[in-house]
Amino acid sequence: MPRLGVNIDHVATVRQVRGVMYPDPVTAAGIVELAGADGIVCHLREDRRHIQDRDLRILKEIIQTRLNLEMAATEEMVRIALATKPNIVTLVPEKREELTTEGGLDVIKFFSSLKKAVQRLHKGGIPVSLFVDPQKDQIKASEDVGAHAIEIHTGHYCDAKTPAQEDLELKKIFDAVAEASHRNLQIAAGHGLNYVNVRRIAEIKEIEELNIGHSIIARAFLVGLDRAVREMIELIK
């Protein structure tokens, strides 16, 4: 089965809304690990709307599984990553006005700057994944830029309004997985996955990791974080 990485950003979102010290995303990460998740994902945004620099530093010190740092390919974030040394960096697009990440990186358009960021991170001993839409040209560019992995953006599949549209988006993901496998890239998938739509993605054997956040944290409000993680693991199985 694919590994499960749990994004804990929205634990920090609840904290930041009130400007207090709780709920603590670091504590949440410990619960997530004990529930059986294979890794922790966090996105340090330029505007620091949820995860803070201190959270990242402590997470790196205390988690026992794998820390995946999502970030934009900016000078500030590259410096932070090199100082923190997460287990992997996932480069994502970022706009201040967006509610959440709206799509994959345009690797072709920003090839030069991404290549420089990837090279610096690799020089610092940090593997790099690129968050991309399920498009063959973007996957080829990801290989050319030097990334060793991709994370396929599943948002359009998850937002499909009809079964036919869902099938169409799923086919795009299948084609993207085939392209990435052909290029020997490691493959993860994420964005918008929840307890209803995760099964069809989890069945794709080439996908090695699913990164899921909002739906797990939202369910945790109702049933508790430990149970929410365990339920997702069972669905993935």
Side-chain angles (χ1 to χ4, degrees):
M1 67 179 253
R3 299 185 300 269
L4 173 63
V6 177
N7 187 311
I8 57 170
D9 290 351
H10 294 304
V11 177
T13 298
V14 175
R15 177 191 64 189
Q16 297 305 118
V17 165
R18 292 292 295 267
V20 292
M21 296 298 291
Y22 58 87
D24 179 16
V26 175
T27 301
I31 295 171
V32 165
E33 287 188 314
L34 289 171
D38 303 288
I40 303 298
V41 184
C42 68
H43 184 173
L44 185 65
R45 281 183 171 265
E46 181 185 18
D47 61 9
R48 306 303 198 271
R49 69 174 66 169
H50 36 58
I51 295 295
Q52 305 297 301
D53 299 63
R54 177 178 178 271
D55 299 325
L56 178 61
R57 291 194 299 269
I58 299 174
L59 283 167
K60 181 57 173 68
E61 291 179 6
I62 68 109
I63 68 169
Q64 301 298 305
T65 54
R66 183 171 182 257
L67 177 61
N68 181 348
L69 172 60
E70 295 182 342
M71 64 181 218
T74 64
E75 173 62 27
E76 178 195 24
M77 292 302 160
V78 170
R79 283 192 283 104
I80 289 171
L82 291 171
T84 308
K85 301 287 188 182
N87 299 101
I88 186 171
V89 158
T90 300
L91 297 178
V92 301
E94 187 174 310
K95 294 189 294 186
R96 286 202 176 200
E97 64 272 18
E98 67 188 359
L99 290 176
T100 185
T101 305
E102 295 175 348
L105 277 170
D106 190 337
V107 185
I108 298 169
K109 181 177 180 179
F110 299 107
F111 188 90
S112 179
S113 59
L114 287 170
K115 189 175 183 68
K116 290 177 183 176
V118 170
Q119 288 175 339
R120 289 182 62 192
L121 291 164
H122 281 173
K123 189 175 180 180
I126 303 171
V128 180
S129 177
L130 301 185
F131 183 74
V132 295
D133 288 322
Q135 299 172 358
K136 290 184 178 181
D137 57 348
Q138 295 293 345
I139 293 169
K140 179 182 183 302
S142 298
E143 179 191 35
D144 293 341
V145 92
H148 87 288
I150 61 163
E151 180 174 340
I152 296 173
H153 175 231
T154 54
H156 299 303
Y157 159 79
C158 296
D159 293 338
K161 303 302 183 185
T162 66
Q165 185 182 358
E166 182 179 294
D167 288 345
L168 178 62
E169 296 299 334
L170 187 64
K171 184 181 184 306
K172 293 179 184 178
I173 293 171
F174 273 115
D175 291 344
V177 165
E179 181 71 15
S181 295
H182 172 69
R183 298 183 180 280
N184 293 317
L185 293 167
Q186 295 178 23
I187 307 168
H191 198 80
L193 295 172
N194 59 41
Y195 296 84
V196 175
N197 60 35
V198 72
R199 289 180 183 270
R200 299 184 79 185
I201 301 298
E203 288 172 348
I204 303 173
K205 62 180 174 35
E206 294 87 355
I207 294 179
E208 302 171 46
E209 182 172 286
L210 300 176
N211 293 317
I212 305 174
H214 184 265
S215 63
I216 291 176
I217 302 306
R219 182 148 182 78
F221 283 115
L222 305 178
V223 303
L225 186 53
D226 179 90
R227 179 174 165 185
V229 173
R230 292 180 188 275
E231 287 178 348
M232 183 59 76
I233 291 171
E234 286 303 311
L235 283 172
I236 293 171
K237 287 181 179 178

